[in-house]
Amino acid sequence: MDTLKIAIYGAGSIGTISGAYLSAAYGKDHVTLIDTWPVNVAALNSEGAHVIGTTDFTTPVTAVMADEVVDQFDLILLHTKQVDNATVIPAVKQLLKPDGTLVSLQNGVPEKYILTHIPAKNLIAGSVVFGATGAGPGVTELTTAYDSFKAHAYQIGEIDGTITPRTELVQTILSHVGMTPISNELMGTKWSKLLVNAAFSGLSTIMNRTFGEVAQDDVGVKSALHILNEGLNVGQADGITFTPLSGVDLAATFGLTGDDFTDTQIATLRLMTGASAKLKASMLQDLYKQRKTEVDYINGLITATARDHGIATPFNDLVVKLITEAERTHTIPTFEVAKAELQQLLDHRAVVS
């Protein structure tokens, strides 16, 4: 580790947490946080990275503007949004040493696009399991319960599912942030995370509520289960074998086998959401800031894949419609409107069943 150079590309809410704990473990001379927000870079350099919320932790870090990076890195953790990949991935390629490794830690399933620029031998895919919210320049709020965050921060794996020395090395490095299991069913891991993201990030955004508030609302939790099931049906049709997420087998636990979901399934989903109860979706935060969201790469990926297989996905369709409209009009979805439209879908499904 004496000579290993690590970069965090995208020092937003999640990236700042990754950078903070890795800087504390390896020292600020070995870890660089890269961002495009000058005020954030300045604050990180002058005040350090400050993690608040379910913990309170500050550590010195090195931060640099993306257009001022001169080094190349052995390991780059990619924490930017997919909407910027057309410019970000070519830039990252230039910063990666020829034998370096990029770990894609974006929402959704971006690897197919990344592989058009970066060879599989330089790519490890991963998922972030914890949540965070930006709290100002240099400050991020960890919204996942601290013990849960430390017990399960990421999942990683090779594109072909093999276990290799480099995945084990990356696992060791990321364990300084939180436990990081290696998956040999990479796409199943990514799709499992995608479904939970689609359900709770999607609904948090259109209902303008936290994950916990969505889960505690009867319409919200039933809609989340329908979004999960639409994604399960679509993924299975596309040849995906879903892997457990934080120990939960989504297909076995939340599969719809009758006319409606059971009280046990509802209670289990609510319990599963507990660690992220305070989290508001990053897509909702994007709408607050009048930025384009990643809905096309989350719920939109489900609906696009569904069209390939002739599968109906009305709940995911509604999420895409409402978020796209909010982007277009620079408005924030309202709880009452979203709940009414979701209730209509639930009522229609009850009549059809």
Side-chain angles (χ1 to χ4, degrees):
M1 184 61 212
D2 288 343
T3 59
L4 196 66
K5 294 184 70 67
I6 301 171
I8 314 298
Y9 202 100
S13 56
I14 299 289
T16 296
I17 291 174
S18 297
Y21 282 95
L22 291 178
S23 296
Y26 295 117
K28 59 180 289 188
D29 292 337
H30 291 288
V31 180
T32 302
L33 284 71
I34 301 171
D35 202 34
T36 58
W37 185 19
V39 177
N40 190 45
V41 169
L44 288 166
N45 284 321
S46 62
E47 306 295 331
H50 188 188
V51 184
I52 61 173
T54 58
T55 188
D56 194 338
F57 169 66
T58 304
T59 191
V61 298
T62 296
V64 65
M65 291 291 294
D67 59 359
E68 297 177 354
V69 184
V70 295
D71 294 327
Q72 283 194 312
F73 299 91
D74 301 283
L75 177 66
I76 300 177
L77 307 185
L78 183 62
H79 278 302
T80 54
K81 295 180 182 297
Q82 282 199 65
V83 294
D84 299 318
N85 274 1
T87 54
V88 163
I89 301 305
V92 167
K93 183 178 181 180
Q94 298 301 312
L95 302 180
L96 194 64
K97 290 183 178 180
D99 60 347
T101 298
L102 173 69
V103 184
S104 60
L105 291 166
Q106 297 178 315
N107 287 332
V109 188
E111 286 73 26
K112 184 175 180 180
Y113 177 80
I114 294 174
L115 285 169
T116 64
H117 291 271
I118 294 175
K121 69 181 182 66
N122 297 108
L123 179 65
I124 287 177
S127 294
V128 178
V129 185
F130 63 92
T133 300
V139 185
T140 183
E141 179 184 357
L142 177 65
T143 52
T144 299
Y146 182 76
D147 289 346
S148 177
F149 156 65
K150 295 303 287 185
H152 204 147
Y154 316 94
Q155 284 184 307
I156 60 170
E158 295 281 359
I159 298 295
D160 62 4
T162 57
I163 307 297
T164 63
R166 71 169 182 159
T167 53
E168 293 173 339
L169 174 61
V170 172
Q171 179 187 46
T172 298
I173 292 169
L174 293 182
S175 69
H176 291 288
V177 182
M179 292 294 291
T180 304
I182 297 173
S183 171
N184 59 5
E185 291 285 353
L186 177 67
M187 298 312 294
T189 299
K190 297 286 283 187
W191 268 82
S192 292
K193 173 70 186 298
L194 173 72
L195 298 199
V196 174
N197 231 358
F200 283 99
S201 291
L203 291 174
S204 169
T205 304
I206 69 169
M207 299 180 85
N208 195 12
R209 292 292 187 269
T210 65
F211 285 19
E213 289 167 335
V214 169
Q216 291 306 313
D217 184 87
D218 287 343
V219 171
V221 73
K222 289 182 180 179
S223 298
L225 285 163
H226 280 294
I227 289 173
L228 280 171
N229 267 264
E230 289 177 0
L232 286 169
N233 292 337
V234 169
Q236 287 164 353
D238 210 48
I240 299 299
T241 300
F242 291 93
T243 58
L245 186 66
S246 300
V248 177
D249 185 328
L250 299 182
T253 304
F254 299 118
L256 179 59
T257 56
D259 292 337
D260 205 353
F261 297 103
T262 67
D263 291 342
T264 299
Q265 288 174 311
I266 291 172
T268 301
L269 187 59
R270 283 174 168 161
L271 183 63
M272 182 178 171
T273 313
S276 301
K278 297 180 180 180
L279 182 64
K280 279 191 175 183
S282 61
M283 290 194 293
L284 179 57
Q285 297 171 48
D286 287 336
L287 291 182
Y288 288 155
K289 299 171 184 176
Q290 295 190 358
R291 297 190 306 211
K292 185 169 177 56
T293 74
E294 290 187 290
V295 69
D296 290 341
Y297 308 99
I298 303 175
N299 301 84
L301 178 60
I302 294 173
T303 61
T305 309
R307 288 193 293 271
D308 293 339
H309 297 284
I311 297 173
T313 55
F315 285 86
N316 281 283
D317 292 345
L318 178 61
V319 170
V320 173
K321 183 190 84 169
L322 292 180
I323 294 177
T324 301
E325 179 66 12
E327 288 177 344
R328 186 184 68 80
T329 58
H330 300 297
T331 57
I332 305 298
T334 64
F335 176 78
E336 293 76 16
V337 170
K339 184 170 179 176
E341 294 212 35
L342 290 167
Q343 184 67 66
Q344 287 182 356
L345 290 180
L346 292 172
D347 291 343
H348 176 72
R349 197 183 190 290
V351 170
V352 172
S353 298

